[in-house]
Amino acid sequence: MIRVLLADDEGMIRSALAALLRLEDDIEVVAECENGEQAVADALRLLPDVCLLDLEMPGLDGVEVAERLNRAIATRCIVVTRHARPGVLRRALASGVAGFLPKSRGADEVASIIRRVAAGGRYVDPEIAADALSDERSPLTDRELDVLRAGRRGETTGQIARSLSLAPGTVRNHISAVLAKLAVGTRQQAVLLAEERGWI
């Protein structure tokens, strides 16, 4: 049996997908989670074979959940998304995600992708992969992207500095560089632009 954890903040989608997957002879849904924090906690406790994670969840998004789990346990993660931005695909693959697909896929396709990933394979939706190859690269460094990501919910410079183990002055320098490169006036505008383009 392939033990699967589902995480999606939309209850109807989560319960419908769980019900459909439970019809498969070889798949057991061991947990249904409504946010990223719950997904991490339940996965660490239940040790599922595969975690099927919605990208857009409050708190920790699907890629952040996958990153935490890949460092802690031997589970395989698949990220599903309604808005597949190429930059997010690159971020997902860099964090060790084994599958990446749009929410428009049917339950039978999702089940076969779960089987492939559980067997050690990988799956990336072909259209998303093609878009990623042609998409513009971020002009920001990895550290500048880290600063934006750490401050995406309005955290202060001090909070960002503590979360990244940097000096506040260094964080301010990174923010200044980001604003100049993106030609925007505020950190919030920079976050919105980076999210829109799938860089964070």
Side-chain angles (χ1 to χ4, degrees):
M1 281 296 254
I2 302 169
R3 301 172 70 253
V4 175
L5 175 146
L6 293 181
D8 194 312
D9 60 322
E10 295 180 70
M12 191 187 309
I13 290 175
R14 186 178 66 245
S15 54
L17 183 56
L20 291 168
L21 288 175
R22 284 187 173 110
L23 298 174
E24 302 288 332
D25 293 336
D26 58 342
I27 293 176
E28 178 190 3
V29 177
V30 296
E32 295 176 49
C33 308
E34 61 185 28
N35 60 54
E37 286 83 357
Q38 184 188 355
V40 170
D42 284 0
L44 293 175
R45 183 170 53 83
L46 297 167
L47 305 176
D49 301 305
V50 175
C51 293
L52 191 66
L53 309 166
D54 182 25
L55 175 66
E56 297 94 2
M57 291 187 287
L60 298 175
D61 70 22
V63 174
E64 291 167 324
V65 171
E67 212 164 19
R68 291 191 184 194
L69 294 180
N70 285 334
R71 286 196 303 251
I73 58 174
T75 190
R76 310 266 292 155
C77 294
I78 300 170
V79 170
V80 296
T81 179
R82 182 171 282 122
H83 309 291
R85 298 182 306 272
V88 177
L89 170 60
R90 286 194 292 270
R91 194 178 132 228
L93 294 176
S95 71
V97 165
F100 196 89
L101 63 147
K103 277 190 173 180
S104 56
R105 291 307 176 91
D108 55 338
E109 279 184 278
V110 174
S112 78
I113 292 165
I114 287 171
R115 290 185 190 100
R116 181 193 292 200
V117 166
R122 298 184 88 171
Y123 178 85
V124 175
D125 177 75
E127 283 181 36
I128 299 172
D131 287 346
L133 290 172
S134 62
D135 191 56
E136 71 175 294
R137 295 266 172 191
S138 167
L140 306 178
T141 66
D142 287 345
R143 186 47 102 185
E144 288 164 354
L145 290 169
D146 287 342
V147 167
L148 274 191
R149 209 172 283 123
R152 74 196 304 177
R153 294 178 184 91
E155 290 83 350
T156 65
T157 302
Q159 289 170 319
I160 296 170
R162 279 191 297 281
S163 74
L164 297 176
S165 302
L166 295 173
T170 304
V171 170
R172 279 192 288 276
N173 290 342
H174 283 309
I175 292 169
S176 295
V178 166
L179 299 183
K181 286 179 182 179
L182 300 184
V184 294
T186 68
R187 194 177 82 206
Q188 193 53 39
Q189 288 172 319
V191 166
L192 289 173
L193 182 62
E195 286 179 336
E196 199 177 277
R197 299 204 177 157
W199 298 336
I200 62 171

